[in-house]
Amino acid sequence: MIEMLLYSAITLYGVAILIALYRIAAGPSLPDRVFALDIVNVNLISGIAIISILLDTKAFLDVILILGILAFIGTISFSKFIERGVIIERKRND
Amino acid sequence: MRTNNVILRTVTRIVVIIILTLAVYLFLAGHHAPGGGFIGGLVLASAFVLLFIAVDMETVRKAVPIDFKLVAALGAFISVATGFGGVMFGEPFLNQVFGYVELPFFGETELTTVTIFEAGVALAVVGVVVTIILSIAEDV
């Protein structure tokens, strides 16, 4: 029973990633694409958590942490690029 | 309009400590579990990149006065130098040994020479990744 629930959940996460990939390809503006990339990352984290339950292992938990960090830094970089036009500033101006 | 990123700077003060702790954990866990010097160095480099994004380049260079090209060269030197340790005892190049030592506080501990090699790999990865990202960002 619980295994069937897990398999259906991971299938739904795959469908959600596919929909977000369509939004990345066809998104009208750059913030739409950044948001869709964040959705892909969050769904990947959830899918890896379900896979580690299904395989009954703790080896994938580090992957979740690293994906979280990279998604955080990537979203911040895109947001700063959209707002300021430059990601790493040369010197402090405030 | 004056813009600032006070939220990002406040979050970064906490998150950088978490990322550095995860990097040290991944480096030490790499002997028997997934992890190791390469991925520990990458996570360490991502902490530096987050610092460079949150505050600017000059402030981080003043706070962390390290030339990252020298760090990369030092890491590569350490990795190759541990390879010659095996040659001195008549073993093949890059031969590594391990042993169980009784330490006063930790009890019986497994000490290896692979850890020194992995530390060199981690230093090389940090130096190369931060140098690449900084030289891309300076061209703007």
Side-chain angles (χ1 to χ4, degrees), chain B residues 27 37 75 78-80 82-83 94 96 113-122:
Chain B
F27 173 72
I78 289 175
S79 291
V80 177
T82 56
L94 282 176
Q96 310 282 349
T113 57
V114 189
T115 310
I116 308 171
F117 177 77
E118 290 281 323
V121 173

Side-chain angles (χ1 to χ4, degrees), chain B:
Chain B
M1 190 183 82
R2 274 172 64 104
T3 57
N4 61 357
N5 38 17
V6 61
I7 297 175
L8 178 58
R9 279 182 196 166
T10 313
V11 169
T12 302
R13 271 180 212 156
I14 305 165
V15 170
V16 160
I17 297 173
I18 300 174
I19 297 178
L20 290 176
T21 314
L22 177 67
V24 174
Y25 162 72
L26 280 174
F27 173 72
L28 291 178
H31 196 65
H32 293 300
F38 189 81
I39 190 67
L42 279 179
V43 175
L44 205 60
S46 74
F48 277 114
V49 170
L50 182 60
L51 271 183
F52 276 112
I53 289 173
V55 293
D56 54 316
M57 212 180 282
E58 271 185 11
T59 313
V60 180
R61 282 225 171 113
K62 206 181 292 174
V64 190
I66 303 171
D67 190 2
F68 284 100
K69 293 189 276 297
L70 282 181
V71 171
L74 181 70
F77 174 74
I78 289 175
S79 291
V80 177
T82 56
F84 282 106
V87 177
M88 285 197 297
F89 293 99
E91 299 287 332
F93 181 63
L94 282 176
N95 191 39
Q96 310 282 349
V97 292
F98 66 97
Y100 292 93
V101 184
E102 198 72 36
L103 288 182
F105 182 68
F106 297 100
E108 191 180 9
T109 314
E110 183 185 11
L111 290 181
T112 61
T113 57
V114 189
T115 310
I116 308 171
F117 177 77
E118 290 281 323
V121 173
L123 284 181
V125 169
V126 168
V128 168
V129 170
V130 176
T131 305
I132 288 174
I133 289 177
L134 283 189
S135 51
I136 289 173
E138 269 173 348
D139 283 340
V140 179

Side-chain angles (χ1 to χ4, degrees), chain A residues 31-48:
Chain A
D32 290 332
R33 293 193 169 98
V34 175
F35 198 62
L37 274 174
D38 207 24
I39 291 172
V40 169
N41 272 314
V42 170
N43 284 326
L44 266 181
I45 290 174
S46 312
I48 290 169

